[in-house]
Amino acid sequence: MTRVAILISGGGSNMVALAQSMTGDHPARPCLVLSNVPGAGGLAKAAAMGIATATVDHKPFAKDREAFEGALIEAIDAHQPDFLALAGFMRILTPKFINHYAGRMLNIHPSLLPKYKGLHTHARAIEAGDTQAGCSVHEVTAELDGGPILGQAHVPILPGDTSDDLAARVLPMEHQLYPAVLRRFVIGDRTPVILP
Ligand code: GRF
């Protein structure tokens, strides 16, 4: 059975969607949920679903990214994942980490990449006067939010939308998109998923 480790930093709603999708005839199962934030809400959700959890707190490593990532790799590889899914994981990863999981790591980003890489994506789309927003699942490469796009979901931006309104409209689409992309990715199918 193909094994998927999921990395989170917060509530883990995408992690829950991914874990819930990996049942029945799905070729993969979650083997670990790891957070860089001790006590992140998603850890309790994962434990309640019977998924192994781990925490590697980035704070003790201060600016030493390499040391933090070494501890991260050790904690992750102890569970022997075949693939990694970053799901609300809020640390920037160095080429060392990315190369270690080259071709096996996905991320979800709350914008229609290549637009709005980085943070505050919804506020930036509203500010720009865009009429459409959404989310993207991409393969993780050394370029931040820049790897090959494997799926996108689109939602309208409505007059008067706040960034919270837009986030609330995009998040459920993330929960549809990410599992659909992962299911293809773990069997080597890179056909993009486009929603709706
Ligand atoms: C989501 O907007 C996701 O796109 C971004 O982090 C946010 C929180 O995700 N990566 P989650 O609820 O922790 O999965």
Side-chain angles (χ1 to χ4, degrees):
M1 186 66 80
T2 302
R3 300 164 65 85
V4 177
I6 306 171
L7 274 57
I8 64 169
S9 297
S13 72
N14 276 287
M15 175 277 295
V16 170
L18 290 171
Q20 287 179 340
S21 75
M22 288 186 263
T23 57
D25 65 355
H26 193 299
R29 290 295 184 274
C31 66
L32 172 68
V33 171
L34 181 145
S35 173
N36 65 299
V37 175
L43 291 171
K45 294 172 190 170
M49 297 171 80
I51 303 168
T53 62
T55 299
V56 178
D57 185 351
H58 63 277
K59 286 194 289 296
F61 297 94
K63 293 276 176 277
D64 190 345
R65 283 186 188 279
E66 290 266 328
F68 167 60
E69 292 184 349
L72 212 46
I73 288 171
E74 189 178 343
I76 292 166
D77 286 356
H79 293 266
Q80 299 167 313
D82 301 293
F83 295 93
L84 257 59
L86 306 182
F89 186 69
M90 304 307 276
R91 301 300 297 170
I92 292 177
L93 298 162
T94 73
K96 170 188 170 204
F97 186 93
I98 291 165
N99 293 337
H100 184 77
Y101 297 108
R104 305 191 287 149
M105 184 159 54
L106 295 176
N107 181 45
I108 189 159
H109 181 76
S111 80
L112 295 175
L113 291 171
K115 294 182 81 171
Y116 312 125
K117 296 177 181 177
L119 299 174
H120 312 303
T121 60
H122 301 313
R124 291 157 64 194
I126 292 167
E127 183 62 34
D130 293 357
T131 56
Q132 203 179 49
C135 51
S136 307
V137 176
H138 62 93
E139 190 176 344
V140 176
T141 63
E143 185 195 348
L144 180 66
D145 299 331
I149 292 170
L150 297 174
Q152 289 197 313
H154 304 76
V155 302
I157 297 178
L158 303 175
D161 267 347
T162 64
S163 55
D164 285 349
D165 295 331
L166 190 48
R169 194 171 304 127
V170 172
L171 200 55
M173 297 305 292
E174 296 180 27
H175 300 159
Q176 282 185 55
L177 180 68
Y178 211 168
V181 172
L182 180 70
R183 182 163 189 144
R184 293 185 182 186
F185 194 64
V186 298
I187 60 172
D189 178 356
R190 300 172 70 92
T191 313
V193 176
I194 306 298
L195 302 176

